[in-house]
Amino acid sequence: MTDFKTILDTYAWNDVHTQIYDATNQDVLHALEKDQLSLSDFRALISPAAAPYLEQMAQKTQQITQRRFGKTIQLYAPLYLSNECQNICTYCGFSMDNKIRRKTLSDTELLLEAMALKAMGVNHILLVSGEANKTVEINYFLHAIQLLKSHFSQISIEVQPLEQSEYELLQAAGVYAILVYQETYHREVYRQYHPKGKKSNFDYRLDTPDRIGRAGIHKIGLGVLLGLEDWRVDSFFTAAHIAYLQKHYWQTRYSISFPRLRPAAGSVEPNFHLADRDLLQLICAYRLWNENLEISISTRENETFRDHIIPIGVTTMSAASKTNPGGYVVDPQALEQFEVSDERDMETIKSQIRKMGYSPVMKDWETNFAGIVR
């Protein structure tokens, strides 16, 4: 089977950059007229030429999203397990070279954090940790899942890349989704931002979604860290990666996230700025290209942007997030991985969603009918 590395190597970054920036108004209009879009159409919709058509794109995006997902927004909250990390990543507060107090939650602390989330009505949690392969590893994750699975309908994880056999253990333990971000598809730039640690292995990280897919995980989440490289080019390669995965693991569901580089201890400034209007264009392009793709917005974004995106294309949002281990009740002063922008509590966000004419959903409805729809 051809892997994505082979596909990626057929492209030249500069050639894709040129194709995006040379797209014409006619290319955009042609894409907007179609019901089934190609990667070339996606490339046109993320181009500067598409910017004048943003209103038209947003209207069509809203129609497609409501037809496919209804007027619902699924809510979840992250639960950070540890800020220990063995990588140097120049944009991350958890980077090994940052002189911070490290913390990994004990069983008691983990349950205290979980009960705080339950009290908010959270029923879908995302377990997150730094990449400390010797201390916060597969056995720790399996134990945490065992402790938490009776309290939540869905448990997803965002941790270091693992082996296929380890993903199979997570699948058997009941993990719903696994998120893994390539950060950037630009091989040389990736090396600059990840100078030390297992994460510096670009190809191993690139192959991670394949290992997840082969393990039979229900949903895979992808994305890049917007700001490390040109967001248009990185997003094209993300879409190409999703297209490849959907072809080979067609029973798996897919989601896309849009983390913009946010302030963190010791972090770098973004090399490429992504304005709110650009992010809206990108969200619309993904929806017009792939109506089944789940689109997630985190609390990295400010409340004004998050409110306005609700009726357009988003399907999933994090809420009331704390990005440090113990951040809900155990150790609120611990170092965050990044600054949260939308600091509203869960009930306020749920109220805002209802005000927009949508229904907040605390778990993925499809799980209830797994025996029927899968």
Side-chain angles (χ1 to χ4, degrees):
M1 183 181 79
T2 302
D3 59 14
F4 185 67
K5 176 183 178 298
T6 303
I7 295 173
L8 184 64
D9 288 345
T10 65
Y11 291 97
W13 182 279
N14 290 339
D15 289 346
V16 174
H17 182 280
T18 298
Q19 290 166 353
I20 292 172
Y21 284 86
D22 284 353
T24 65
N25 291 353
Q26 193 58 44
D27 294 329
V28 177
L29 290 171
H30 178 68
L32 288 173
E33 291 170 356
K34 296 171 66 176
D35 292 325
Q36 299 291 325
L37 274 65
S38 66
L39 278 172
S40 296
D41 297 319
F42 178 82
R43 191 171 60 208
L45 293 178
I46 61 173
S47 73
Y53 302 94
L54 185 55
E55 181 65 28
Q56 185 177 344
M57 290 173 64
Q59 290 176 2
K60 190 172 182 180
T61 295
Q62 182 181 50
Q63 294 167 4
I64 293 172
T65 305
Q66 287 187 12
R67 183 178 69 237
R68 173 62 181 82
F69 295 94
K71 299 183 73 172
T72 62
I73 302 293
Q74 183 189 168
L75 295 176
Y76 73 94
L79 198 170
Y80 274 70
L81 303 171
S82 175
N83 62 6
E84 295 187 58
C85 195
Q86 295 167 342
N87 297 316
I88 293 180
C89 304
T90 60
Y91 50 80
C92 182
F94 291 175
S95 183
M96 183 176 66
D97 57 340
N98 284 337
K99 305 304 180 183
I100 62 170
R101 180 168 57 89
R102 304 291 175 168
K103 183 176 185 62
T104 297
L105 297 184
S106 67
D107 289 3
T108 300
E109 292 170 332
L110 181 59
L111 288 170
L112 285 171
E113 292 288 287
M115 292 309 100
L117 289 171
K118 286 293 289 185
M120 299 179 199
V122 174
N123 217 5
H124 181 185
I125 58 169
L126 173 67
L127 302 182
V128 187
S129 80
E131 300 192 8
N133 298 293
K134 294 181 180 179
T135 54
V136 189
E137 38 68 63
I138 185 61
N139 292 316
Y140 181 93
F141 301 139
L142 290 171
H143 181 65
I145 291 163
Q146 186 63 36
L147 286 174
L148 298 174
K149 65 189 305 183
S150 64
H151 300 289
F152 299 96
S153 295
Q154 289 166 356
I155 298 177
S156 301
I157 67 169
E158 181 185 338
V159 298
Q160 69 265 27
L162 302 170
E163 295 297 322
Q164 180 180 332
S165 60
E166 294 172 318
Y167 286 127
E168 289 169 353
L169 292 173
L170 292 173
Q171 194 275 340
V175 166
Y176 171 70
I178 295 179
L179 282 61
V180 59
Y181 301 136
Q182 188 62 29
E183 314 299 13
T184 177
Y185 286 86
H186 193 302
R187 188 180 291 273
E188 289 72 27
V189 170
Y190 182 96
R191 188 178 300 116
Q192 295 169 17
Y193 282 108
H194 308 97
K196 187 173 182 180
K198 193 171 183 179
K199 192 171 180 178
S200 64
N201 188 332
F202 179 92
D203 289 338
Y204 184 77
R205 195 169 191 90
L206 188 69
D207 187 52
T208 302
D210 273 295
R211 298 194 297 275
I212 300 170
R214 290 192 295 267
I217 296 293
H218 183 75
K219 183 167 76 174
I220 302 174
L222 287 88
V224 291
L225 185 53
L226 298 166
L228 298 186
E229 246 300 334
D230 188 304
W231 64 268
R232 302 179 200 270
V233 185
D234 253 335
S235 296
F236 171 81
F237 284 116
T238 308
H241 203 168
I242 292 170
Y244 157 83
L245 292 166
Q246 286 183 316
K247 179 180 178 181
H248 290 91
Y249 313 105
W250 55 270
Q251 291 179 306
T252 302
R253 295 168 64 183
Y254 296 90
S255 67
I256 184 74
S257 299
F258 306 91
R260 282 194 275 191
L261 190 58
R262 293 279 299 153
S267 68
V268 297
E269 288 295 316
N271 278 340
F272 292 83
H273 179 65
L274 181 75
D276 286 355
R277 187 177 176 87
D278 297 330
L279 182 53
L280 176 59
Q281 179 182 343
L282 182 56
I283 289 170
C284 290
Y286 270 112
R287 172 59 68 232
L288 296 174
W289 170 65
N290 190 328
E291 67 174 20
N292 293 315
L293 193 63
E294 297 183 23
I295 293 178
S296 181
I297 292 292
S298 79
T299 51
R300 287 175 182 258
E301 301 304 325
N302 64 64
E303 59 185 72
T304 300
F305 182 85
R306 277 162 54 93
D307 289 350
H308 282 86
I309 200 65
I310 288 170
I312 298 179
V314 68
T315 60
T316 306
M317 300 175 75
S318 59
S321 301
K322 301 297 182 183
T323 66
N324 50 314
Y328 295 104
V329 291
V330 171
D331 192 5
Q333 302 307 313
L335 180 84
E336 297 177 318
Q337 187 182 29
F338 57 85
E339 289 183 10
V340 171
S341 185
D342 186 349
E343 298 183 347
R344 294 174 293 179
D345 61 35
M346 183 66 71
E347 288 305 314
T348 301
I349 291 175
K350 287 164 69 175
S351 176
Q352 180 62 34
I353 291 172
R354 294 189 188 101
K355 191 182 299 182
M356 304 288 291
Y358 281 67
S359 299
V361 177
M362 303 309 289
K363 62 179 179 179
D364 190 328
W365 64 270
E366 187 165 326
T367 302
N368 294 332
F369 304 97
I372 298 173
V373 300
R374 291 181 68 185

